[in-house]
């Protein structure tokens, strides 16, 4: 199984999640291509599962200068695509993720697993949740 995992991280928390998710997916036998969104293109939608990660920014929105433009560029290519979403947050209650889930469903994507959010940096139990998330995606 080919998984393309694309993320944006400002403080390193979402990047840490991405690395743990990659570890979990690879432990389940998947091949994972990990990319920062600045290195990603619409061609990265071509995979078995597309995994996207972005933290909550501002008033619980996706990062606006790099990640949101990437989302706009791929949104029309997501119909029927198996997709998983994750991200970290420091405040709020996860509204950005609920909005993102809904947006992806409206674009026709099929959410492979329940989206994962972690408060601040993953540690302890949340580290394991990230690895489990990766393993679940790879099945």
């Amino acid at each position: 199984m080919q998984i393309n995992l694309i993320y944006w991280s400002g403080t390193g928390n979402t990047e840490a999640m991405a690395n743990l998710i990659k570890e979990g997916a690879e432990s389940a036998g998947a091949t994972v291509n990990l990319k920062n969104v600045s290195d990603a293109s619409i061609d990265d939608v071509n995979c078995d599962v597309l995994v996207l990660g972005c933290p909550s920014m501002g008033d619980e929105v996706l990062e606006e200068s790099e990640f949101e433009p990437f989302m706009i560029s791929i949104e029309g290519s997501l119909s029927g695509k198996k997709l998983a979403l994750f991200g970290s947050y420091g405040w709020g209650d996860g509204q950005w993720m609920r909005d993102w889930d809904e947006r992806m469903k409206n674009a026709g994507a099929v959410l492979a697993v329940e989206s994962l959010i972690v408060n601040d940096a993953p540690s302890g139990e949340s580290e394991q949740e990230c690895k489990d998330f990766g393993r679940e995606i790879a099945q």
Side-chain angles (χ1 to χ4, degrees):
M1 171 179 291
Q2 175 63 48
I3 295 173
N4 287 346
L5 196 161
I6 300 166
Y7 71 92
W8 184 91
S9 188
T11 63
N13 295 343
T14 302
E15 181 177 17
M17 290 179 72
N19 286 311
L20 290 164
I21 292 165
K22 179 180 189 278
E23 181 181 331
E26 287 177 340
S27 76
T31 300
V32 181
N33 182 22
L34 181 68
K35 284 189 177 183
N36 187 292
V37 72
S38 62
D39 299 321
S41 74
I42 194 162
D43 293 336
D44 292 311
V45 171
N46 299 320
C47 56
D48 296 313
V49 182
L50 180 62
V51 181
L52 301 171
C54 185
S56 172
M57 302 294 290
D59 189 24
E60 290 208 67
V61 296
L62 297 174
E63 191 276 330
E64 296 174 302
S65 66
E66 288 186 86
F67 202 85
E68 180 61 30
F70 176 72
M71 288 306 307
I72 291 168
S73 76
I74 68 169
E75 212 158 354
S77 303
L78 297 178
S79 184
K81 178 52 108 187
K82 194 171 178 184
L83 184 71
L85 306 175
F86 71 96
S88 62
Y89 68 103
W91 61 91
D93 67 355
Q95 185 62 47
W96 103 100
M97 188 59 73
R98 291 189 296 276
D99 292 345
W100 195 11
D101 280 349
E102 189 65 27
R103 178 179 174 185
M104 295 300 92
K105 288 175 189 172
N106 289 340
V110 177
L111 295 179
V113 296
E114 184 177 334
S115 298
L116 177 66
I117 62 174
V118 169
N119 189 287
D120 295 321
S123 64
E125 186 178 310
S126 60
E127 283 183 342
Q128 190 59 50
E129 288 174 357
C130 290
K131 291 177 187 177
D132 292 346
F133 182 79
R135 274 192 286 278
E136 190 176 351
I137 292 165
Q139 296 179 11

